[in-house]
């Protein structure tokens, strides 16, 4: 068995519910024959990280090192890893294990986040009981199937947000077949939304960006939106009624607004939730019959979609807009994201 090079992984862990992480270290699990050991260079901050450390979703296992937008170099590989070599620059997203068997009803359909054996990058346990820890650290060991080579044309510091935010918005666009000529709405121009505009536009769609911040108008047009709708301006909202084939909801909207969102859709349009709305929808099922609109959602991306996300991003030069922080200032960075002021994604850079 190949030994890993790092015997103790040093990172920043949440020790209890709250918006704070502190230095902490753990012994990595043994390096399996299908695993790689990665020296982390960059780690993006995702909204899920904040929900987890604050324990806004149930059951955070403390201490918890979060971070699932990881980019770094392979420093050791297990003996059965063939598609990666030492020195390769790779990215890791929100999942670190899935069975990937053709008999799996999730993995066989590129829905490996729903695999019954799935292990997520943090706050999740491996079959052997070891806890998975994420990217706010100097290293990580993961199954090599979940480490993706970063295309050479992508500047590595911009790659982390593609691993979760980018793949998360691109996955349903691919699966649901967004194509040239479709009219695609994006609600919420933030970490996910600013990438959603770019992917939909590169797929040839006409993109309508919705935001209650009119000062984001120019940026949305630059990113590829053809129309910007200030949701506080009734005239602008009325003008798009009944026109959208798809609507990607990337902000924590209020569930009671869904009747209104349906009115923006063309017949048989699809509303896809990428963020969790609060409250109840309070809507009669009759709405669906009259509009013929479907409301659905999407989790994160599986292995094949992650590969396609990186290829597509490289080909169409899709990059996130980021703010950079040294890893040592991770707490300041978390507050920045929590305040909603970050434009639009924060990337932590390991100090050395
Ligand atoms: Zn995420
Ligand atoms: Zn599976």
């Amino acid at each position: 068995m190949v030994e890993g090079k790092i015997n103790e992984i040093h990172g920043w862990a949440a020790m209890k519910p709250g918006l704070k992480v502190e230095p902490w270290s753990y012994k990595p699990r043994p390096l399996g024959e299908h695993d790689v050991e990665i020296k982390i260079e960059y780690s993006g901050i995702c909204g899920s990280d904040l929900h987890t450390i604050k324990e806004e979703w149930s059951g955070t296992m403390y201490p918890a090192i979060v971070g699932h937008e990881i980019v770094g170099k392979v420093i050791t590989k297990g003996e059965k890893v063939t598609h990666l070599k030492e020195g390769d620059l790779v990215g890791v997203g929100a999942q670190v294990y899935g069975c990937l068997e053709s008999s799996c009803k999730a993995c066989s359909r590129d829905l490996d986040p729903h695999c019954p054996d799935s292990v997520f990058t943090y706050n999740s346990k491996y079959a052997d009981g070891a806890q998975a820890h994420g990217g706010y650290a100097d290293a990580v060991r993961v199954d090599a199937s979940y480490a993706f080579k970063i295309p050479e044309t992508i500047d590595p510091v911009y790659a982390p947000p593609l691993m979760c935010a980018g793949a998360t918005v691109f996955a349903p666009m691919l699966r649901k077949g967004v194509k040239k000529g479709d009219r695609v709405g994006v609600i919420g121009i933030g970490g996910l939304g600013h990438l959603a505009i770019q992917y939909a536009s590169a797929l040839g769609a006409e993109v309508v960006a919705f935001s209650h911040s009119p000062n984001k108008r120019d940026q949305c047009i630059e990113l590829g939106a053809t129309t910007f709708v200030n949701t506080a301006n009734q005239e602008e909202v009325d003008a798009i009624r009944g026109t959208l084939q798809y609507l990607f909801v990337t902000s924590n909207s209020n569930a009671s607004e869904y009747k209104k969102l349906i009115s923006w859709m063309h017949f048989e349009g699809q509303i896809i939730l990428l963020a969790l709305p609060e409250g109840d929808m309070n809507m009669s099922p009759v709405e669906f019959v009259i509009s013929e609109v479907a409301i659905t959602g999407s989790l994160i991306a599986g292995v094949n979609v992650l590969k396609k996300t990186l290829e597509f991003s490289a080909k169409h030069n899709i990059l996130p807009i980021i703010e950079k922080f040294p890893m040592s200032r991770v707490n300041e960075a978390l507050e920045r994201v929590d305040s909603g002021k970050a434009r639009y994604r924060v990337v932590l850079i390991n100090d050395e």
Side-chain angles (χ1 to χ4, degrees), residues 99-100 104 107 115:
C99 79
L100 302 178
C104 174
C107 293
C115 174

Side-chain angles (χ1 to χ4, degrees), residues 34 36 38 70 83-84 90-101 107 111-115 117-119 121 126 142-149 163 300-304 306-307:
H34 296 286
V36 285
I38 299 166
I70 301 169
H83 70 293
L84 293 173
V90 293
V92 176
Q95 185 172 9
V96 287
Y97 185 78
C99 79
L100 302 178
E101 300 286 344
C107 293
L111 291 170
D112 28 325
H114 299 281
C115 174
D117 297 337
S118 62
V119 179
T121 308
Y126 284 93
V142 301
D143 185 296
S145 298
Y146 285 86
F148 305 90
K149 226 171 152 169
M163 302 310 302
I300 51 173
V303 165
N304 289 324
L306 251 159
K307 284 181 193 158

Side-chain angles (χ1 to χ4, degrees), residues 45-49 68-69 93-94 122 163-165 168 192 300 345:
I45 296 183
C46 176
S48 306
D49 302 354
H68 61 202
E69 294 185 333
Y122 57 75
M163 302 310 302
C164 177
T168 298
L192 267 63
I300 51 173
R345 210 72 176 167

